[in-house]
Amino acid sequence: MTDMKQLEERLKNAFYWFHEYPELSYEEYNTTAKIREILESYHIEILPYDLETGLVAVIRGEQDGPVQMLRCDIDALPIVEQTALSYRSKTEGKMHACGHDMHIVAGLGCAVLLQENRDKLRGTVKVVFQPAEESSLGALKILETDIMENVDFVWGFHADPTNAAGVIGIREGYVTAAVDRFVITVKGIGCHGAHPDDGIDPILVSAAIVQALQSIVSRNVNAFHPSLLSVTRICAGTTWNVIPPEAVMEGTVRTMEREDRVLYEKKVKEIAEKTAQAYGAEAVVQWIAGPPATYNDKKMADLCEQKAKEMGFEVVLEESSMGGDDFAFYEEKIPGCYVKVGTGVGHPIHHPAFAVNPEVLLPTAKYLTEILLG
Ligand SMILES: [Zn+2]
Ligand SMILES: [Zn+2]
């Protein structure tokens, strides 16, 4: 039997190490090596997938049952850490500011506990240490392999600094939004700033497009469906007395319902192209689809709630977010559930002073284990 005190100590030390040595999306080489080292020290089987970064541990139960997957994302962010933690980042300009270091360690703890409880485990659990969540596309690296081929359910979790340690946020239905990106290039005709009649001003056209895009949410989308569009970058010109030939803008669309995603893509293209046309310019729209919305299966959410209550956690309604998670790519194939684990109230995720209370590590590992034991 694993000594719980000893396990907790090891998890905390591992957490400090991961926090000190953060690695960005697709560069998680040392992180992956450390995860492997810890799994091997507990004699946990690692599947022989040839992933560049990230890896998959497997725990085979002694009873028949489904194949379940637990997703733990492992990458950090390009942020200069501003905490006074003794184990703050030793890699300048990189930081675990989204709590993925906690995800790794809770996943490792869960793998250890499941391994020990193989007699009670029905079926198989794959613990997937996934790269590059912050890129929104890391899950696709896992989906390129056959890791998910026989998986029946997928579970995910995220550190939540809006709640105290000991609080679990659960909601059935949509919890994060679909994340799409657009780039609009407006092509006009450049000329002297004093002779606009000689050209076609792409800046004026862009301004009209930005205004009109906001009519999608207010006039086209069902008022009961959450969605938004933000133009976040607009770029044109080089000086004060020249009208440039081109303007480029980009932004993001967030939706929950699949039909709204389709509607936005169609309307953004239509508005940009036709507005530009009305001004004698041309607009070229590039649409870059990211992950869909994350949707919590009711039965799975109920199990998460039941287990949390049995274990003495406080259960609150998980807040839905217009942020996204590439976890949703897995849910395009199979049912899933994604819960929020309170990590101590403090600075939000992606903030330079974000911090996780290490006291949540072992309880989170135990909670995930209970869910997977069913
Ligand atoms: Zn993040
Ligand atoms: Zn995250």
Side-chain angles (χ1 to χ4, degrees), residues 71 73 75 77 97-100 103 133-134 157-159 324-325 338 349-350:
R71 191 290 297 262
D73 37 6
D75 54 330
L77 288 157
C98 203
H100 298 184
H103 300 176
E133 190 283 324
E134 296 294 354
F157 63 105
H158 205 289
D325 196 301
Y338 179 94
I349 53 172
H350 293 210

Side-chain angles (χ1 to χ4, degrees), residues 207-271:
I209 292 174
V210 171
Q211 294 277 356
L213 288 175
Q214 289 305 335
S215 69
I216 303 174
V217 63
S218 64
R219 304 291 87 173
N220 301 125
V221 176
N222 182 327
F224 290 98
H225 294 183
S227 76
L228 64 82
L229 177 151
S230 294
V231 175
T232 54
R233 186 173 77 91
I234 180 155
C235 212
T238 50
T239 187
W240 66 281
N241 57 358
V242 177
I243 290 173
E246 199 176 276
V248 178
M249 66 184 108
E250 69 177 314
T252 186
V253 169
R254 304 296 168 105
T255 50
M256 295 292 187
E257 304 289 340
R258 208 175 285 266
E259 67 192 75
D260 296 337
R261 223 178 163 189
V262 177
L263 174 75
Y264 266 98
E265 183 177 358
K266 180 174 161 275
K267 289 300 294 179
V268 167
K269 283 186 177 158
E270 225 169 66
I271 287 171

Side-chain angles (χ1 to χ4, degrees), residues 20-88:
E20 282 177 320
Y21 301 104
E23 292 176 301
L24 303 183
S25 300
Y26 304 110
E27 297 172 0
E28 310 94 332
Y29 295 101
N30 294 330
T31 303
T32 302
K34 187 75 172 177
I35 294 170
R36 179 179 291 276
E37 181 193 312
I38 294 171
L39 289 168
E40 282 174 353
S41 77
Y42 284 99
H43 309 289
I44 293 168
E45 182 182 347
I46 296 166
L47 291 176
Y49 284 105
D50 198 17
L51 293 166
E52 182 82 21
T53 56
L55 56 77
V56 185
V58 65
I59 297 97
R60 301 179 195 278
E62 288 170 13
Q63 303 182 39
D64 285 342
V67 179
Q68 305 182 77
M69 171 174 149
L70 174 67
R71 191 290 297 262
C72 310
D73 37 6
I74 66 172
D75 54 330
L77 288 157
I79 291 177
V80 178
E81 180 161 351
Q82 286 169 20
T83 70
L85 296 171
S86 58
Y87 53 91
R88 67 183 165 275

